[in-house]
Amino acid sequence: MTCSLTRDGLDWHQAAVGTVEWYSKCTEPGSLPEAECGHIIVPLDYFNASAGTAKIALSRYKATKDPSKGSVFVNPANERASGPGIPGTPLAYRVGPRIQRIATGEDYDIVGFDPRGIGRTEPTVNCFGTAESKEAFIRNTVLERGYQVAPESSLIDAREHLIHQMGEADALYRTQMALCAQRMGNVLGYLGTSSVVRDIDFMTRVLDGDEALIKYWGGSYGSILGQYLVNMSVFAGLNSHSDILINTVKRRLPDRVGRVVIDGIASVELWTSVPPYKEHRQWLSSAEDTYQLFLSGCSEAGPSQCPLVEYTNEDPNAIQRRLENWMESLFDKPLAVNNSTRPGILTEGQARSFIFETLEQPISWVPRSRDIFNAMNGDGAAILNTPSYGINGVGDLWRSGVSCNDQVKFPKPDPRDVVDEALYVMKHVSRFVMSIFTIEPDSGCEYWPVTPSERYAGPWNKTLRNPILIHSNTADPITPIVSGSRINELLGDSARLAIQDGPGHCSVTLPSACTVNITRAYFNDGTLPPEGHICQVDAKPFDIGKDYQSYSAAELELLEDVKHLSETLANLRAGRL
């Protein structure tokens, strides 16, 4: 397999499949001087060479220890929401050495890439034309305000009010999908996880050699990508026009698996087989556990670290009642906010979503508890100034380009059924369920204007050449441990579950030397932890920011690596990078 450089100024559409270009340096803000940025030309359709090509944006932070063991492809292990739509190139050019230290070791190249339709990869999903147009479309709609849940004390029927809001959201979804059809057309069908998996296989062979095994580290949606990766089959062969393609030799991806680590496990079975509103019972099955850990941690920390408490060791139930009463009060009387970057109002839906987002990122519990306290006392500027992810998150409809191609095609759900399911989840699973409709914006795919060129839907229990490593937290509010246990069960001897005893979305939300050592040992020589092994965290959420005089230099370095990586991922998801 050959790897060639393009000439400066050459139109990438004219470059041959398999062409790689590394630029002289990365020009993005915050880029490490040692990092490389570039792109690779891949087939737009791996089964139809005449469809054209795509240009996948790449970044690389090379191994600092010889000899290099090859490329580890990384996808954002995103602790702020579980879905796709995030560029991956910053992981190499901004935090490559930190990933080496806490995951792979220094003898692997860290390779970030922007998946199809996302970031600097071309073609890019661009349904609105400009970011300003998208912002104007969402402004002051239910997608920005969040769903408002009427409290029991209200004279408004909560069910009927939610059904009314569902109708508004439905019209918005229908409109934005029509915009996608007008602007993007059939190219939308070449996105989706199945195509991204083929890109990873293709890029591995180009960068590391035709017989190289695939190495991968990803979390959240990246765990779905990893589950596709180890279960799909791929066709690859030769083509007289490009020297690389497509359809003559069958290659089983399970036989191509080298070292694969997935973290913050989302259920790939639900992702591919049911409408999004039916996923929430499982998605939120650990959310209340995380909420209670937030409340009890706040109580133990006391007012200096968590001003939501009136005194140290206050009853967590009292803190919860104040929070719930405050959020309910915003239903009838939203908070006017005139001192934020973009003045507006703080609604019940926005406040609850902010608290749920806080649960996902325990490293933020100290500063965010202050933001919540300030809002409860009349100053909501910090909350409105914090970009929400989800529907208002980074990019155009980047997430829809993935999730709508991955979902099974289903008829438009009856809004009454959607609301009834949500009310059941609210009562029996988690009170945060309505936040998920905007934080995890996968609704409206019944209006997606194209049929994907390929959609893989299982099976998910293949026997692998090398076992994979699965990380899952005991109190992950959005990708619960039951999902990690399920994929471990499906893969059997081809996987091993490593549990981290702590809150947050993905293991990288809190430092754990135990988790780091397990991951590095696995990447080093394939060593797996014992069955049932549980790692503890080395810092509690409300300890972050305290004076660490008792910590060793190594522990402080680990804490800083995890904190920096966590903040980078959060900024990526919010569109700040």
Side-chain angles (χ1 to χ4, degrees), residues 292-351:
Q292 294 307 312
L293 286 173
F294 171 77
L295 296 168
S296 60
C298 179
S299 171
E300 293 171 8
S304 64
Q305 293 294 99
C306 183
L308 297 173
V309 301
E310 294 182 350
Y311 52 88
T312 303
N313 293 326
E314 183 184 10
D315 183 356
N317 292 322
I319 310 168
Q320 182 173 337
R321 281 193 297 271
R322 282 198 297 275
L323 280 172
E324 295 295 328
N325 290 340
W326 170 66
M327 286 186 282
E328 288 185 0
S329 73
L330 295 173
F331 178 83
D332 290 318
K333 190 177 180 181
L335 177 64
V337 183
N338 64 351
N339 59 333
S340 58
T341 303
R342 195 178 69 173
I345 61 173
L346 179 63
T347 67
E348 182 267 342
Q350 289 168 312

Side-chain angles (χ1 to χ4, degrees), residues 120-170:
R120 290 180 171 81
T121 284
E122 299 180 52
T124 306
V125 174
N126 184 15
C127 301
F128 286 96
T130 66
E132 292 76 17
S133 178
K134 179 192 174 189
E135 181 179 338
F137 178 80
I138 293 169
R139 183 73 161 146
N140 291 324
T141 69
V142 64
L143 302 183
E144 180 178 69
R145 297 189 307 266
Y147 287 87
Q148 311 303 303
V149 181
E152 292 183 5
S153 60
S154 173
L155 297 178
I156 296 176
D157 183 280
R159 180 176 184 268
E160 291 302 317
H161 189 53
L162 285 171
I163 291 171
H164 174 78
Q165 293 174 82
M166 288 285 173
E168 178 187 343
D170 181 74

